[in-house]
Every structure is written in structure tokens, then in C-alpha cells.
Amino acid sequence: MDTSNQPKGSNQPKRYIGWDIGGAHLKVAQILSTGNIEAVRQIVCPLWCGIDKLEDAYYSLCNEIPTLADVSSNSVHVVTMTGELTDGFNDREQGVCSILSTMQRLLAYSFLVYTSDRGIINNKTITDTASVASMNWRASAEWLAVRYDEGMLVDMGSTTTDIVPFKSGRIAVRGYDDATRMQCGELIYSGISRTPVMAIAEQFIINGISHPIMAESFSTIADVYRILDNLEEDRDLYPTSDNADKTIASSARRLERMFGLDWNEDLAGTRIKARAIAQVQQQKIRHAIVALLQREQLANSTRIIGAGAGYKIVQRIAESLGIQFIPYYRLWDNLSDDLEDIVCCCATAVSVAALAHLKYG
């Protein structure tokens, strides 16, 4: 076994701990040397408020799962991120360096980092921050490509949707960063909870009539999916647009405000509006999936692996296209029922830990 990038002094590790450091959430997954998932968690981590939020989130998770704090040779920690994108940093390079420096202090020894060009390497050997920035999607797709020869990862998170085809056991993408991935249709900046409704479209067709909406942050897509009973509350961890509660009534009030209306307690009417908004969002994702399937000439018998907090929405899209759908959690044996949703939600953290296990196990 090649141990050149393994933490100094470590033997066969007992745990592989994957950290996915986003701009809004910190996700962690802990995999045993047997290959079984032991623990997975997600916690709010608003990095735009300062790098100290990462420390706070880290310690909160360690208090809940003490083994996460193990920095001995019995645990291999591996980091991936998207948090460098937040406007708390001047640029992505500063963000990557700040996050890695903070994790160095928290983990108290050299750890591993997922990179786009060199795979999993020791953090002390990082020379190109661009190979680290916003590469968590690639870690998930790389692990899937090991399991399946051909398919497509569709990871719908709180803010974005990653669409990553792979074939012949290799990732088949043309985008190499956020900008080019958006240009190639491989990254859709729309998710299941944090996306403002005004970012979905300027107007919606409802009962054959065009209804413009206001260019205001009165409501997010979380309100839409809550009204439609498609959102588990533990997948929507941030305050609402008006800092009010997360009841269906409050969500309806916020959504009607987008149309310049006060809610008249006609929930059926509001659900029609919510359904129209959800359909537009899902149609954008559907079009992107179809375009990439055609671009990569993937067979009609291919599969979509759904991940992220919105994996059930991905399932609806896949089924509407007549494509086999596999939830990410189904790729894991001996997984308890209570871990299924959170494993999908934190697929990036799970995948990067799995890649470390694959390399050093």
C-alpha cells in the first residue's frame, strides 16, 4: 500500500473521516475500516460571517460525535470544500488557504485533501489552490465511477445542483471550475432550500395566465417545497426570509408576497403557484440532464444516482425521463434506515471518506 500521503506514524486506520466544508454547511462522514458508515452529520456553518464559524461548527460536531476529534494515527481525516467561494474571502485562493489553515489547527497534524488533478494528497503538499476549490462534486462522481462503469450523478443540494456524467469508469466533464461548469450545464445554481424564488424565473404561467413576480427576497424555494410537502425540516437549517416560523401558513404568506399579494388563507390556490414554480426549476434541471446525456452519448439504459438534500426531487425528474434512478444511500451495504436520508444529503463527505478508505484500506 502506498502510504506516502498517509498521516505520519499511522498504521492501518480504524476510521476514515470526510469533511465537506461548504459556505453554508459543514458536513462530516465517518467510515469504519470495515467499510461501513458509522456516523454522518450536517450543521450550519455560515462562512460569510467569518472563519470562526468553521471552528464553532467543528467543535459542535465533535461534542456530538467525540470520535471525530481523534487526531491520532487511528483516524484519517480528508477534506473537500466549496466554502472558499463565500464573500467572506477576497478571492478563492484566500478562501482555500484560510480553510486549510483552520483545519490544520483543528486537526493538529497533517491531513488529507481531495484535489482534482492529484486525487487525495497530504495538505502540506498543496501547491495549486484551484485544484482544491469547489471540488467536492468531483469526489462523489469519482467514487461512483469506481462502482459503476457508466451513469450520471445528480446531486441537488440546498443551493446548487451538480450534474456529472461518467462513462468507461471515468468522469466525463468539460467544466473545470464553477464558471465553466455553469457554461457547460454541469452546474445549475438552484437547490432545494436556499435559492430565492426570484432566481427561478421572472414570471410563471398559472392557469394559462402569466404572473410576474417581484425582484425581492421575500421567499425561497424552501417555502415552495414546504407548501408542497416535499421538504424535510432538517434539510432546511437556515432562517426564513422574514425570520418568521416555518409553518405552511407562513410559507404561503411569504410566497404570495412574491406575487404582490397578501395571503387570503386559500392554501389550494397557493399550492398551484408553488407547483408552477417547482415545475420551472425542475424543468431547468431536466433540460440540463438531457443535454448532457446526449452530449456524452450515454445509453438509454444508463442510471441516475441521486444525492443531496433534494435527491427525492431528482428521483421525480429521472422517472419523468424514464431513466433508472438509484438513491446514493443504496450503494452502501448494512446501512441503517435512519442514516439513509442524511447519507444522501452528505454524499460528498461520505464519498471523500470512501475514497480515502479505498486508497488506504
Side-chain angles (χ1 to χ4, degrees), residues 284-300:
K284 288 181 180 179
I285 297 171
R286 185 183 294 108
H287 283 162
I289 289 172
V290 170
L292 291 177
L293 287 171
Q294 294 173 345
R295 188 191 77 184
E296 298 303 325
Q297 298 182 330
L298 294 180
N300 292 334

Side-chain angles (χ1 to χ4, degrees), residues 74-349:
N74 289 328
S75 293
V76 171
H77 293 260
V78 56
V79 168
T80 187
M81 68 181 72
T82 58
E84 80 291 336
L85 174 66
T86 62
D87 52 14
F89 305 117
N90 292 329
D91 53 36
R92 285 172 172 78
E93 181 176 9
Q94 183 193 47
V96 170
C97 292
S98 181
I99 289 171
L100 291 181
S101 176
T102 299
M103 293 306 290
Q104 172 75 51
R105 185 171 62 256
L106 294 172
L107 297 177
Y109 79 110
S110 61
F111 55 93
L112 305 176
V113 181
Y114 179 81
T115 66
S116 60
D117 54 351
R118 298 164 63 193
I120 292 175
I121 63 174
N122 191 289
N123 74 298
K124 293 181 178 179
T125 66
I126 298 293
T127 58
D128 177 19
T129 57
S131 69
V132 178
S134 295
M135 288 298 164
N136 61 354
W137 61 272
R138 192 179 183 97
S140 296
E142 183 178 324
W143 187 73
L144 288 177
V146 171
R147 298 292 301 272
Y148 294 115
D149 185 61
E150 180 179 294
M152 176 178 285
L153 166 69
V154 182
D155 186 332
M156 185 179 191
S158 63
T159 312
T160 62
T161 300
D162 295 296
I163 307 174
V164 191
F166 52 90
K167 59 182 181 179
S168 301
R170 299 178 62 86
I171 300 171
V173 295
R174 298 182 184 178
Y176 55 87
D177 57 18
D178 286 342
T180 54
R181 291 183 67 225
M182 287 191 292
Q183 291 167 11
C184 295
E186 298 164 357
L187 171 62
I188 308 298
Y189 237 87
S190 194
I192 195 172
S193 62
R194 299 184 65 242
T195 303
V197 168
M198 66 176 178
I200 304 298
E202 293 182 355
Q203 57 188 0
F204 298 92
I205 304 300
I206 301 169
N207 295 329
I209 300 173
S210 177
H211 290 259
I213 61 168
M214 294 182 170
E216 293 281 359
S217 298
F218 289 144
S219 178
T220 66
I221 198 71
D223 289 322
V224 169
Y225 285 118
R226 186 177 296 111
I227 290 168
L228 297 175
D229 295 323
N230 294 151
L231 181 70
E232 293 84 359
E233 288 308 321
D234 57 357
R235 300 298 173 261
D236 176 30
L237 301 180
Y238 275 85
T240 61
S241 298
D242 59 0
N243 288 313
D245 60 45
K246 295 180 179 180
T247 61
I248 290 179
S250 291
S251 290
R253 188 161 45 250
R254 286 187 289 268
L255 189 60
E256 290 290 352
R257 191 173 291 133
M258 290 299 305
F259 291 88
L261 299 169
D262 292 327
W263 188 49
N264 61 4
E265 299 190 10
D266 174 17
L267 185 55
T270 304
R271 281 194 172 128
I272 292 173
K273 294 184 177 74
R275 196 172 296 113
I277 295 168
Q279 287 173 348
V280 170
Q281 184 198 42
Q282 292 170 30
Q283 188 67 11
K284 288 181 180 179
I285 297 171
R286 185 183 294 108
H287 283 162
I289 289 172
V290 170
L292 291 177
L293 287 171
Q294 294 173 345
R295 188 191 77 184
E296 298 303 325
Q297 298 182 330
L298 294 180
N300 292 334
S301 59
T302 196
R303 59 187 66 83
I304 287 177
I305 295 90
Y311 78 93
K312 293 179 181 178
I313 302 300
V314 176
Q315 179 175 3
R316 292 185 178 189
I317 295 172
E319 290 174 349
S320 74
L321 293 170
I323 298 174
Q324 179 188 9
F325 175 82
I326 302 173
Y328 179 86
Y329 70 77
R330 199 168 291 165
L331 278 62
W332 294 89
D333 298 326
N334 305 317
L335 188 67
S336 61
D337 293 345
D338 62 307
L339 285 179
E340 290 181 352
D341 282 348
I342 191 64
V343 162
C344 280
C345 183
C346 301
T348 45

